[in-house]
């Protein structure tokens, strides 16, 4: 999962204090977000849905990953989009689970018990670890899953950052479950260049995030992790229990947003911002209006 730190935004939100979340003269809900494209789009969608349901919304966006959980526990925000894998492994410090429903159930129970937070409906959109292959190579060798990739590895030029080849949740984790990957060649490069290098036909397959903007293009194919090596990072709206109890219609409005999103749709929305250079709020509004 992406971990992007925005200390300036963190200072701003902490400086605002808990008073920023007080309802003043009406039904106001404070929506927070982390500081990267996808989370901003999701938070704006939540805000639009809440406004449509009759709530006044205070947007507190681009909060540091390092403090956003503390912000909602302290009542500085009422709701924000989180990810099941981040909640399970980073926030709760639990052992690895790879079944999406089991992860969700564990997070939902523990968040309520430990933090008085309500985890709303599970969203199909999953922003987790994955492997991406050039569609031309996928079609040529009949590769659709990571099991297929392992079997046809001798035909595939693999590209990656050097740490993926060594870190515990990288290639070693894949080989423990799928078996040895005897790639035709292996090349290391800066992560930011992975799609450019694939487009120039220097490598065939790279590690990626499953909602990367480039995956909206037919040129690339996301492989199915058919043996579930990696934990899921499904989107989950996290709301203060007090807010969810007081305003059930607010929770219902946000759940409708979750029900409208899957991994492919999320990738397309990310692409409109990251590739087409639209503003995230414009993209969110256009998508919301289409629902």
């Amino acid at each position: 999962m992406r971990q992007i730190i925005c200390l300036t935004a963190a200072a701003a939100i902490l400086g605002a204090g808990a008073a920023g979340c007080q309802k003043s003269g009406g039904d106001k809900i404070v929506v927070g977000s982390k500081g990267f494209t996808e989370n901003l789009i999701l938070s704006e969608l939540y805000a639009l849905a809440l406004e449509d349901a009759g709530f006044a919304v205070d947007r507190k966006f681009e909060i540091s990953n390092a403090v956003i959980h503390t912000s909602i526990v302290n009542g500085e925000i009422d709701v924000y989009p989180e990810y099941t894998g981040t909640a399970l492994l980073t926030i709760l410090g639990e052992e690895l689970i790879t079944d999406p429903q089991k992860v969700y159930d564990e997070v939902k129970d523990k968040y309520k018990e430990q933090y008085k937070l309500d985890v709303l409906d599970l969203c199909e959109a999953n922003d987790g670890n994955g492997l991406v292959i050039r569609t031309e190579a996928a079609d040529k060798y009949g590769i659709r899953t990571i099991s297929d990739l392992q079997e046809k590895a001798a035909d595939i030029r693999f590209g990656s950052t050097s740490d993926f080849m060594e870190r515990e949740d990288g290639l070693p984790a894949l080989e423990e479950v799928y078996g040895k990957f005897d790639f035709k060649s292996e090349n290391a490069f800066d992560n930011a260049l992975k799609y450019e290098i694939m487009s120039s036909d220097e490598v065939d397959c790279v590690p990626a995030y499953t909602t990367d903007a480039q995956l909206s293009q037919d040129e690339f194919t996301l492989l199915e992790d058919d043996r579930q090596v990696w934990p899921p990072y499904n989107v989950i709206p996290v709301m203060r229990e007090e807010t969810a109890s007081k305003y059930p219609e607010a929770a219902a409005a946000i759940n409708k947003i979750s029900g409208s999103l899957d991994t492919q749709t999320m990738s397309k929305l990310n692409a409109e911002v990251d590739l087409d250079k639209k503003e995230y709020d414009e993209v969110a509004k256009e998508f919301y209006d289409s629902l």
Side-chain angles (χ1 to χ4, degrees), residues 159-186:
S160 174
T161 55
S162 57
D163 68 325
F164 180 85
M165 309 301 289
E166 301 172 358
R167 71 174 192 257
E168 186 178 353
D169 66 341
L171 188 61
L174 288 172
E175 293 192 331
E176 183 177 344
V177 174
Y178 288 98
K180 182 71 174 175
F181 287 77
D182 293 315
F183 290 114
K184 182 177 182 179
S185 63
E186 295 179 1

Side-chain angles (χ1 to χ4, degrees), residues 5-21 60-77:
I5 304 301
C6 181
L7 294 178
T8 302
I13 188 69
L14 289 175
C21 195
K60 300 287 186 181
F61 288 3
E62 297 193 73
I63 305 171
S64 165
N65 285 15
V67 301
I68 194 165
H69 175 70
T70 302
S71 295
I72 194 167
V73 170
N74 289 346
E76 296 160 9
I77 59 176

Side-chain angles (χ1 to χ4, degrees), residues 133-134 136-138 140-143 148-158 181-185 201-205:
I133 190 170
R134 291 190 309 115
E136 181 181 353
K140 180 178 180 179
Y141 298 110
I143 299 173
D148 294 338
L149 178 69
Q150 191 272 336
E151 293 174 7
K152 305 289 180 61
D155 297 313
I156 300 300
R157 300 165 297 169
F158 189 72
F181 287 77
D182 293 315
F183 290 114
K184 182 177 182 179
S185 63
D201 195 20
E202 296 177 52
V203 299
D204 299 306
C205 183

Side-chain angles (χ1 to χ4, degrees), residues 106-165:
E106 180 78 3
V107 168
K108 186 173 180 66
D109 289 346
K110 292 290 177 64
Y111 264 44
K112 181 176 287 288
E113 175 187 330
Q114 296 184 24
Y115 303 117
K116 297 188 184 302
L117 296 175
D118 194 353
V119 175
L120 305 185
D121 288 357
L122 182 67
C123 180
E124 187 180 335
N126 173 40
D127 182 6
N129 294 302
L131 294 179
V132 173
I133 190 170
R134 291 190 309 115
T135 301
E136 181 181 353
D139 292 343
K140 180 178 180 179
Y141 298 110
I143 299 173
R144 290 293 178 266
T145 68
I146 296 180
S147 289
D148 294 338
L149 178 69
Q150 191 272 336
E151 293 174 7
K152 305 289 180 61
D155 297 313
I156 300 300
R157 300 165 297 169
F158 189 72
S160 174
T161 55
S162 57
D163 68 325
F164 180 85
M165 309 301 289

Side-chain angles (χ1 to χ4, degrees), residues 42 91 118 133 169 176 212 249 291:
L42 287 165
I91 297 174
D118 194 353
I133 190 170
D169 66 341
E176 183 177 344
D212 278 350
E249 63 274 33
L291 297 179

